[in-house]
Amino acid sequence: LMFHFVYPEKRSSLSLTLYSEKSSNLIAVDNISSSSGFSSFENNFGAITNTGIEINLSSLILDRDKLKWQTGIGFLTNSNTVSEIAPFSDQLSLGGFTVTQSVVSEGHPYGAFYGRQFARENGQVLIGSDGFPFDDFQFAILGDPNPDWIMSFLNDLKVGNNIEIAALIEWKKGGDNYCGTCGTLDYFGLSERSGEERGGTFVFDGITTSGETNTQEVELAPSDGSSSQYYRVRYGFGGLTEMNIHDASWLKLRRLSTSYDLSSYLTPSFQGSLKMGIYLENILLFTKYPGIDPETNLSGNSGVLGFDYYNNPSNKTYGAFIKVQF
């Protein structure tokens, strides 16, 4: 369902798209027993339902002889759910690690994180007699890499007849990342967080085996014990999946450019335009995500999303350009 509105004199326009779509018989690779002589095979599976909203607004804010300002705002939200998984009996692994995987699981978003979590009773973390959470060696859906929504802000400012300045800002809200980088650095005591925890005490939120609220204060890195008792070590290399799922929201200055139009300096016989300028990309990032970069992905441009394991951060780009039109 699509709507499009144009305001008087075409100074502003608004487009709105609402959609709900079910896709079935999707193709995926499923692992099979090696005794068959093969490790995997391609097959059709179930269905996925996508619902969402797309909004695009553009407006001419200011239009004067020597100053023109045009802006555009885009908003996108999409919710997807795996509505069927047949013929697979449980769920399908898309990739990842032994402990943490990206999966297709009925009733959950595509690419949800599946991994080890702390033991729970009635939804609350179960705390042992030593004051630390139990590892129940069980697996569960623990996060969703798909964002709640994405917004973009484009501003184009023209000063006089020659100077143009453009800026693109992007804002992603929600969407989790699995930060394996964080977990391994914590394990070896090389992260800022593991350093801050040395000598510190903490009361874990949860209940004891007797069902009472936990109030026991513990040292996260006991000074009188072995390193195997450290909170960031006791659950194994990289910790449990649950310990390293983080919100990957970010606000980024995606592109900033300025150009100068030299067309007015050309001879009247030249039927075209000439512009030169400079641009900068990915120069500013604001995020609370503790890993390398909330936008990079170990698996690249694939269906496996949100894996951070010593990835390279996004490139910052600086350049100059000359644009000639005939």
Side-chain angles (χ1 to χ4, degrees):
L1 183 63
M2 179 181 291
F3 301 93
H4 185 71
F5 306 94
V6 179
Y7 289 92
E9 299 180 6
K10 297 183 179 181
R11 293 181 64 94
S12 299
S13 67
L14 171 67
S15 64
L16 171 65
T17 303
L18 310 175
Y19 63 89
S20 179
E21 181 180 41
K22 184 176 181 179
S23 303
S24 57
N25 293 321
L26 304 174
I27 298 175
V29 177
D30 186 29
N31 297 322
I32 59 175
S33 173
S34 57
S35 62
S36 66
F38 300 90
S39 60
S40 63
F41 77 108
E42 291 185 352
N43 199 359
N44 297 96
F45 78 94
I48 294 179
T49 301
N50 283 276
T51 58
I53 302 173
E54 294 184 18
I55 302 173
N56 290 285
L57 171 66
S58 63
S59 181
L60 183 59
I61 305 295
L62 192 63
D63 188 7
R64 296 183 179 176
D65 292 339
K66 298 297 182 180
L67 187 62
K68 185 177 181 179
W69 176 22
Q70 189 162 2
T71 188
I73 299 175
F75 177 85
L76 168 65
T77 179
N78 177 77
S79 175
N80 76 76
T81 303
V82 179
S83 52
E84 298 175 28
I85 193 65
F88 305 104
S89 58
D90 186 7
Q91 64 184 22
L92 171 66
S93 175
L94 299 172
F97 304 104
T98 303
V99 174
T100 305
Q101 299 176 21
S102 175
V103 299
V104 176
S105 182
E106 190 169 327
H108 296 282
Y110 179 90
F113 293 113
Y114 178 74
R116 280 170 56 193
Q117 65 173 355
F118 292 118
R120 280 174 166 76
E121 189 171 296
N122 297 324
Q124 298 189 69
V125 176
L126 197 59
I127 310 298
S129 59
D130 60 355
F132 286 89
F134 276 119
D135 175 5
D136 66 357
F137 298 96
Q138 297 298 313
F139 286 71
I141 299 294
L142 298 173
D144 177 10
N146 301 287
D148 298 334
W149 47 260
I150 297 176
M151 291 188 70
S152 61
F153 306 87
L154 175 63
N155 284 277
D156 197 328
L157 187 66
K158 189 171 183 179
V159 181
N161 298 320
N162 305 94
I163 300 174
E164 188 173 351
I165 303 171
L168 175 61
I169 299 172
E170 291 184 353
W171 182 7
K172 190 197 82 164
K173 177 66 172 63
D176 299 318
N177 273 13
Y178 167 69
C179 188
T181 308
C182 303
T184 54
L185 290 177
D186 288 342
Y187 178 86
F188 288 112
L190 298 175
S191 66
E192 181 178 359
R193 176 168 58 182
S194 64
E196 292 172 346
E197 289 175 351
R198 294 170 196 160
T201 59
F202 190 77
V203 177
F204 285 96
D205 185 21
I207 59 173
T208 64
T209 54
S210 61
E212 300 175 349
T213 300
N214 177 56
T215 58
Q216 184 174 349
E217 191 174 89
V218 296
E219 286 186 88
L220 297 177
S223 56
D224 57 351
S226 67
S227 61
S228 63
Q229 297 303 307
Y230 291 2
Y231 174 57
R232 301 295 172 180
V233 176
R234 64 191 297 134
Y235 301 105
F237 180 72
L240 305 187
T241 304
E242 182 178 2
M243 299 169 67
N244 296 303
I245 299 293
H246 299 278
D247 178 78
S249 300
W250 48 258
L251 179 67
K252 176 174 288 191
L253 178 56
R254 176 71 70 188
R255 182 180 175 91
L256 178 64
S257 66
T258 181
S259 64
Y260 191 86
D261 193 336
L262 299 169
S263 302
S264 59
Y265 298 101
L266 302 177
T267 60
S269 60
F270 180 79
Q271 300 298 314
S273 65
L274 173 63
K275 289 184 180 181
M276 62 183 302
I278 58 174
Y279 65 91
L280 306 92
E281 294 181 344
N282 297 327
I283 55 174
L284 289 177
L285 171 66
F286 303 93
T287 181
K288 293 183 179 180
Y289 176 68
I292 295 173
D293 187 328
E295 196 177 12
T296 64
N297 182 33
L298 179 64
S299 300
N301 186 21
S302 72
V304 181
L305 306 175
F307 277 80
D308 178 348
Y309 196 79
Y310 296 94
N311 313 344
N312 289 322
S314 299
N315 292 329
K316 292 183 178 180
T317 306
Y318 310 88
F321 64 88
I322 297 177
K323 183 177 181 181
V324 181
Q325 289 183 318
F326 297 96

